[in-house]
Every structure is written in structure tokens, then in C-alpha cells.
Amino acid sequence: MFNLPECNNEIIISAMQELERRAFISAFIYLPCWLIIALNNQNNIFIQETYYPICFFFLIILFLHIILHYRFNQILQNNFHRARLLLTIIIIIPCLMLGSICSWCIYLHVSYNITVPFIIITAVLCTATSLLLTIDPIYKIMVPLAMLLPALTSVLVERSSDNLIFLPLAALNILYIFRSSQLKFHDYWHALITFSYFKQKSMTLENMAFTDFLTQKPNRLCADKQLKSLWEQAKTEQQCLAWMIIDIDNFKNINDSYGHPFGDICLMLVADALASYSRKVGGFFARYGGEEFVFIKICESGTEIHQMAQGLMQQSSKTRICHDDASINITYSIGVSSLCPNLTEQTSNDLIAQADQALYIAKHEGKNQYRCYGETHPYIEQQMQMLNTQSTCCSIPCEKQDNQCPPA
């Protein structure tokens, strides 16, 4: 009866966190209700004798609930059942206290100016609390018992004809609470489980959309998204963004000579080696299409850009593969470009185009090397320091492209 639906722990923890947030909000209602009625009936003996003890009791409960609120997530992660028990206790105790006050008013024949408001408040809060906390089925039973049972007991013991009218009203209220809580319980959990299911499906589809099927590395769509994000980050941090396009040398010959399955193995081998290096240096790596890959990283200097390119070239030593007793060393060429977004009017598309030009030169000059788009080390450092001018980093006019960086 009091068990939660069978679903994964993530959903249950999320539901319990939502339950605690709802309970924390409702915890602030009890003391104001008592103060409003008590302050409007200060001359009543019952109020005079119980005013401060009840205020102190509600304050203590509120203080304990505040402590639990800020530690609940930690307790929930460590011990789910303990967290659920503590939350139940801290919720039920003020409910029981309010029900007890209502019971005393009925049994002691306290003035109607006090008794009737307490009966109304108790019934309203009982219904509202039960429906608000319907996430956990325990409250559809415990809250009505804590709030209404003491008052009903007093009515039965006192047996006054004026109070007996409350019995059928209380019974109807309990039936309404039970049935409504049951329906809201099923509606809430059905909606939560359905939402979680579609959220998981959405995440799976998104992951598939941004992942290359063969290499299981980020694909071009993911690379374009990451480029946009890093471009804005580099602009904010006033840094340079390096874009390196990596192309496997003679890949068509590999496919033609050894077959496409062997070519796929080569792609996966190269992707693993380059991705491993990318994680090591904190860059982003993706398969851009065919035999092309990209590496993106925010860099602080031209020297760092060269170090990244040289590090990528050195990964070719990890891409040696055997086929029919023949050892094949897979090499690749790299085109490098970089721009400082805060210093230039050029866009990320220009960054990509410049790397393509640099790759073309690397291929044209013999492959198995990297080339940077029209740069020398001093030129890059000079551009990095020109924060008050509109210029580009690692980029010069096309007519100067013959001045290329040396191969790794």
C-alpha cells in the first residue's frame, strides 16, 4: 500500500526531492494559522495557557524542517529509506499537533470563535496537504489520521449533539481525500515515468545525431556546434581559437588495395589515437567526414598551436596496422588555422576555409606533415599582443601563403 512504483532510482530520487520541496513550503503554514486565531482571542483562557508552548513547538518543528531541507539531498543519496522516514516524521508531527489542538477545542468546549476556525483550518489543511504530498502514498493515510482522528475521537467521547454533525462531514472528507489522492498519485507517477522515458529517448536520439556511427566519435554536426560555442568563449576570454583539419594520406589507395572493411579499421584506429591525444590536451576532436577529422582548441600562444599540431602528427606512430603479413603505417596531413575572434571581423567559416587551404599546401608539398595558414612564430605572437587593433591571428593575405611553417 505504501510502496512507490517500480522504476529506476533516478526517477524515484527526483520524485522524493520534489516531495520534500512541496513539504518544505507547507511547513510554514501551521504557525501563522495558530497565531491568527490566538491573537484574535487573547482573552480566552485556553489561548492564554497554550499560546507560548504551541508557538515554541511549531517553531522547533519548522527549525528542524529547515535543517532537513538543506541536508535532504545528501541523506537521500546515502540512505533512501532513512530520508523517507525522516521526511515522514517531520511532516506528520505538525499535522498531529494541529489535529490535537482541534481535539482539545472540541473536548474542552472552547469558544466557538476558536473551535470552528480550527475545525475549518484542520479540514482544509488536511485535504490540501494530502493532495499536495500525494507523490508518496503514505500521506493519503497518515495525514488524515494525524489531523482528523484526534478531533473525531473527541467528538465521539464528548457526544454532544452539536458536534455529532461533524462525523458525517469528516467521513466524506476522508473518502474524498483518499480517492483524490489515489488518482493524483497515479497521474503524477504516470506523467513522471512517461516524461523520463521520452527524455531518455530524446537524449539517445541526440547522442546518435551527434555521434559518428563508425568511429563512435563526435561527428561534423557536433563539431560545428562546438566550434560555435568555442568561438564565443574565445571572444569572451580574448584568446585565439585553433582549428586543425586532419586528412589521412592516400586513403583512396588503401580502400582500393585492401578493401573498404580494412579502410574502416584504419579510420577507427586513427580516430582512437587522435581522440586520446585530444582528451589529454583538453581539446575537442571529431570525425568531419570521409577520411577527415578536426581538432579544436582555445590556445594562448602561437607556440602552443604548433605544439598541438606536432602532438597530433606524433600520433601516427600509433596507427601502424598489419595486413597479410605486411605492416602498413597510416600517415596523415594537417592544415592549421587560428583566429582571435575579438580582434577580427572574420568568422568561423573563414577559420575553416583557411585550414582547408593550409591542408591543401601540406598535401601538395609531400603529405605526412602539417602546414599553418601563412604564419611564422613571431607573426602569431605579434597578433596575440595586438588587443587594440582589428587583425587576425595566424592569418595573412593570400599572396603571402608561400611563407609556411616547417613540417613537424
Side-chain angles (χ1 to χ4, degrees):
M1 180 183 294
F2 296 149
N3 294 330
L4 297 173
E6 293 184 4
C7 51
N8 62 57
N9 290 334
E10 182 181 351
I11 296 177
I12 292 178
I13 289 176
S14 174
M16 292 303 295
Q17 290 171 339
E18 173 63 21
L19 174 65
E20 193 281 327
R21 285 192 291 269
R22 295 184 180 189
F24 182 68
I25 295 173
S26 64
F28 289 87
I29 196 66
Y30 297 100
L31 182 59
C33 288
W34 166 251
L35 290 176
I36 291 172
I37 296 176
L39 294 177
N40 283 298
N41 297 274
Q42 298 182 44
N43 296 327
N44 186 275
I45 297 176
F46 174 77
I47 296 297
Q48 292 175 354
E49 293 177 351
T50 59
Y51 178 76
Y52 289 106
I54 292 177
C55 284
F56 180 74
F57 175 84
F58 282 132
L59 282 173
I60 291 296
I61 294 299
L62 182 59
F63 177 73
L64 293 176
H65 203 149
I66 292 173
I67 294 177
L68 178 64
H69 175 72
Y70 288 103
R71 298 193 59 187
F72 185 75
N73 287 341
Q74 179 182 353
I75 299 173
L76 187 62
Q77 295 292 338
N78 295 334
N79 192 319
F80 170 79
H81 296 290
R82 178 181 297 177
R84 188 186 183 192
L85 178 62
L86 289 174
L87 184 60
T88 302
I89 292 173
I90 210 71
I91 290 173
I92 295 301
I93 287 179
C95 294
L96 184 60
M97 185 62 180
L98 188 63
S100 299
I101 295 172
C102 184
S103 173
W104 295 337
C105 292
I106 295 173
Y107 185 75
L108 299 175
H109 297 280
V110 179
S111 169
Y112 264 54
N113 292 336
I114 300 175
T115 303
V116 173
F118 264 117
I119 292 174
I120 295 174
I121 288 174
T122 302
V124 171
L125 289 183
C126 179
T127 304
T129 303
S130 299
L131 298 180
L132 183 67
L133 307 181
T134 190
I135 296 172
D136 193 333
I138 193 173
Y139 297 108
K140 69 180 180 183
I141 301 295
M142 296 299 293
V143 170
L145 284 178
M147 284 192 170
L148 300 182
L149 187 60
L152 292 177
T153 303
S154 295
V155 169
L156 292 174
V157 172
E158 198 269 340
R159 293 186 179 181
S160 169
S161 59
D162 294 334
N163 293 332
L164 289 177
I165 188 64
F166 293 122
L167 288 177
L169 294 176
L172 289 173
N173 191 25
I174 291 174
L175 289 174
Y176 172 78
I177 289 172
F178 184 80
R179 183 56 180 165
S180 298
S181 297
Q182 192 175 31
L183 292 174
K184 286 183 68 66
F185 170 79
H186 288 297
D187 290 344
Y188 175 84
W189 282 99
H190 177 73
L192 183 62
I193 293 172
T194 302
F195 173 78
S196 177
Y197 171 80
F198 283 108
K199 180 181 179 182
Q200 184 64 37
K201 288 295 182 181
S202 176
M203 292 175 61
T204 301
L205 292 174
E206 182 179 1
N207 184 58
M208 292 174 61
F210 286 109
T211 303
D212 177 64
F213 180 77
L214 176 64
T215 63
Q216 292 301 300
K217 301 297 185 291
N219 60 12
R220 179 169 185 163
L221 184 62
C222 186
D224 291 339
K225 180 180 178 181
Q226 188 72 8
L227 175 61
K228 182 178 179 181
S229 174
L230 290 177
W231 182 270
E232 295 301 323
Q233 181 181 341
K235 180 183 293 186
T236 302
E237 297 176 358
Q238 297 186 351
Q239 300 287 352
C240 271
L241 181 63
W243 171 276
M244 306 184 189
I245 186 161
I246 306 154
D247 187 272
I248 299 177
D249 294 330
N250 305 312
F251 186 71
K252 184 179 184 303
N253 294 336
I254 293 176
N255 273 335
D256 293 342
S257 301
Y258 303 103
H260 288 278
F262 182 79
D264 291 344
I265 294 174
C266 294
L267 288 172
M268 291 186 286
L269 189 64
V270 172
D272 289 340
L274 297 178
S276 176
Y277 175 77
S278 177
R279 287 192 298 269
K280 181 179 178 181
V281 299
F284 174 83
F285 171 80
R287 184 185 180 191
Y288 208 57
E291 66 271 25
E292 290 186 339
F293 304 89
V294 293
F295 174 82
I296 321 172
K297 189 177 187 302
I298 295 177
C299 298
E300 297 181 356
S301 66
T303 300
E304 183 181 0
I305 294 173
H306 277 270
Q307 289 174 347
M308 296 296 104
Q310 292 166 4
L312 289 170
M313 290 299 305
Q314 291 170 3
Q315 303 310 304
S316 63
S317 62
K318 301 178 182 179
T319 56
R320 184 180 298 274
I321 187 170
C322 295
H323 185 270
D324 293 338
D325 298 328
S327 180
I328 303 171
N329 186 38
I330 304 170
T331 63
Y332 36 81
S333 303
I334 303 177
V336 182
S337 66
S338 69
L339 289 172
C340 293
N342 62 303
L343 300 179
T344 181
E345 294 181 357
Q346 293 180 287
T347 67
S348 57
N349 290 332
D350 297 313
L351 183 70
I352 297 173
Q354 292 169 5
D356 285 338
Q357 294 181 34
L359 176 64
Y360 174 80
I361 294 174
K363 291 285 190 179
H364 183 72
E365 293 185 352
K367 305 179 182 179
N368 192 22
Q369 58 187 320
Y370 79 90
R371 284 291 182 264
C372 302
Y373 180 78
E375 56 86 0
T376 62
H377 279 65
Y379 181 84
I380 296 178
E381 300 299 342
Q382 179 184 5
Q383 298 302 309
M384 293 291 294
Q385 296 173 5
M386 295 177 61
L387 297 180
N388 60 341
T389 62
Q390 294 293 322
S391 60
T392 60
C393 172
C394 200
S395 174
I396 61 175
C398 294
E399 60 268 16
K400 296 184 179 181
Q401 288 179 7
D402 292 337
N403 183 18
Q404 302 294 331
C405 59

